[in-house]
Amino acid sequence: TALLPFSEFLFQYGMFAFTASLGLIIIRRFFANQNELEDYARTLENTNRTIEAQVVERTRALNASLSQIESDLKIARRIQENILPASDLQVPGVEYHFSYQPLYQIGGDFLDIAEIRPGVLRLFMADAMGHGVQASLYTMGIKSAYEESKWRCATPAHTLGELNTRFRRDFMEMHAFLPCCVADLDLNQGQLLYASAGHPEQLLLSGSKAHWLRRTGPILGLHEEMVFQNETVSFEPGTL
């Protein structure tokens, strides 16, 4: 066998050494990357465990808060129901029924019925603008203001005027408004005297006649000085 020239031998030896070195470098990088991947996997696993623990804790805290809110709303609903008229109010010649059905557990609807004089019932209906907790807070303020006015004011229009002053004073900064209606049902005279502050029209059915109780003034809270008008409607026994 012929011997390779020294230069060719040196070239082949050099290629072998280069290839071997390159292989060693690749192997070292492979194992280095493998170690990095393992470290990353361990870090990711620890991070996932930490996140899972935080999610569990925050879910527990959120559920506890929701349970407390639910309990508070139930109490608030009972309070609202307790400020509604007594279902056993006895007034000769009058039978009434109502159902309190707010959009949420609590709301801004309010109703009051009281005998302000013998044979004269004063009815008050209001719907604070908004829903939920905000509207229910308005309701409590309205209840307080109306309790003072309903016994003192001579007419529904006078009552609305006084309520508007109190409502503006207490809720003006909140930009709140209140549609409501006050009606005096005089059983002795067979007449209904009412004033409506932007409240949806009510329907009075007397015999074969229907009479709409239309608005007689603007919604409460719009302006400081507002004028409300009284309207009178006659009714017969059996009127709804």
Side-chain angles (χ1 to χ4, degrees):
T1 305
L3 296 176
L4 292 173
F6 180 75
S7 60
E8 186 176 347
F9 172 78
L10 185 62
F11 173 77
Q12 290 183 357
Y13 179 77
M15 289 297 296
F16 172 77
F18 173 76
T19 303
S21 299
L22 184 62
L24 288 174
I25 293 172
I26 293 174
I27 290 173
R28 291 183 63 183
R29 288 188 175 180
F30 171 78
F31 283 108
N33 291 338
Q34 188 72 16
N35 291 334
E36 290 179 359
L37 288 175
E38 291 177 356
D39 291 341
Y40 178 75
R42 284 192 293 270
T43 302
L44 183 61
E45 183 178 359
N46 291 334
T47 301
N48 287 339
R49 289 176 180 173
T50 301
I51 293 175
E52 288 176 0
Q54 291 176 346
V55 169
V56 170
E57 175 60 24
R58 292 181 181 180
T59 300
R60 185 198 63 77
L62 179 60
N63 288 335
S65 297
L66 290 176
S67 297
Q68 183 62 51
I69 292 173
E70 184 72 18
S71 176
D72 291 344
L73 288 175
K74 289 180 179 179
I75 294 173
R77 181 182 176 92
R78 287 199 295 270
I79 292 174
Q80 276 203 317
E81 290 174 343
N82 287 337
I83 68 174
L84 293 174
S87 58
D88 57 352
L89 178 65
Q90 300 293 325
V91 179
V94 176
E95 180 179 352
Y96 75 88
H97 303 278
F98 67 89
S99 177
Y100 177 65
Q101 298 292 334
L103 181 61
Y104 303 110
Q105 284 197 359
I106 55 178
D109 299 319
F110 180 66
L111 170 69
D112 185 81
I113 303 173
E115 189 174 16
I116 59 173
R117 295 186 300 275
V120 179
L121 292 180
R122 175 160 287 176
L123 293 80
F124 177 62
M125 294 176 290
D127 182 10
M129 299 187 69
H131 303 289
V133 175
Q134 176 184 358
S136 70
L137 292 176
Y138 292 152
T139 298
M140 301 307 295
I142 295 163
K143 167 68 174 177
S144 176
Y146 178 70
E147 281 299 318
E148 296 181 15
S149 300
K150 73 178 180 182
W151 304 107
R152 181 173 60 249
C153 297
T155 67
H158 183 197
T159 305
L160 291 181
E162 192 168 291
L163 275 178
N164 183 66
T165 301
R166 289 283 303 273
F167 192 77
R168 289 272 300 176
R169 185 191 68 189
D170 296 340
F171 300 108
M172 182 175 62
E173 293 183 357
M174 302 179 187
H175 305 288
F177 306 101
L178 179 68
C180 59
C181 178
V182 179
D184 288 352
L185 185 67
D186 190 334
L187 302 176
N188 303 316
Q189 302 295 326
Q191 290 185 335
L192 179 72
L193 181 69
Y194 79 94
S196 175
H199 195 273
E201 296 179 355
Q202 305 298 304
L203 183 61
L204 187 71
L205 298 177
S206 181
S208 60
K209 298 179 180 180
H211 187 91
W212 288 101
L213 306 183
R214 306 190 185 280
R215 300 175 180 87
T216 64
I219 192 172
L220 295 192
L222 286 177
H223 308 289
E224 185 173 353
E225 297 294 336
M226 294 196 299
V227 177
F228 302 94
Q229 301 295 330
N230 290 311
E231 295 287 344
T232 302
V233 181
S234 298
F235 64 88
E236 301 173 355
T239 297
L240 298 176

